[in-house]
Amino acid sequence: MAAQIRGWRCDEDYTWRGVAQAACDLWGSERGSNQLFGRDLSVAAAKLLGEDPSREPWN
């Protein structure tokens, strides 16, 4: 999941809203395109991958 989120955010340049919507579409959450949810997913994915979510390529 972390690798998928990194792909959306870093490789495909999804916004936090885009990350949230893509995650909800793929994994079935009801949160939709909530920007804060997308940010939280991105931060968690970056940390799981040993990367700093406040630095490139995440931000």
Side-chain angles (χ1 to χ4, degrees):
M1 286 180 165
Q4 178 67 65
I5 292 166
R6 187 186 194 286
W8 290 327
R9 180 73 179 154
C10 301
D11 300 332
E12 298 180 41
D13 297 321
Y14 280 32
T15 63
W16 285 334
R17 288 184 195 280
V19 168
Q21 187 63 60
C24 290
D25 291 346
L26 185 60
W27 297 312
S29 174
E30 297 294 321
R31 294 192 180 235
S33 62
N34 181 290
Q35 183 175 356
L36 297 177
F37 180 54
R39 184 197 61 187
D40 290 346
L41 287 173
S42 297
V43 168
K47 288 180 178 180
L48 281 170
L49 296 169
E51 299 176 348
D52 184 344
S54 65
R55 303 188 105 183
E56 291 296 330
W58 288 94
N59 201 359

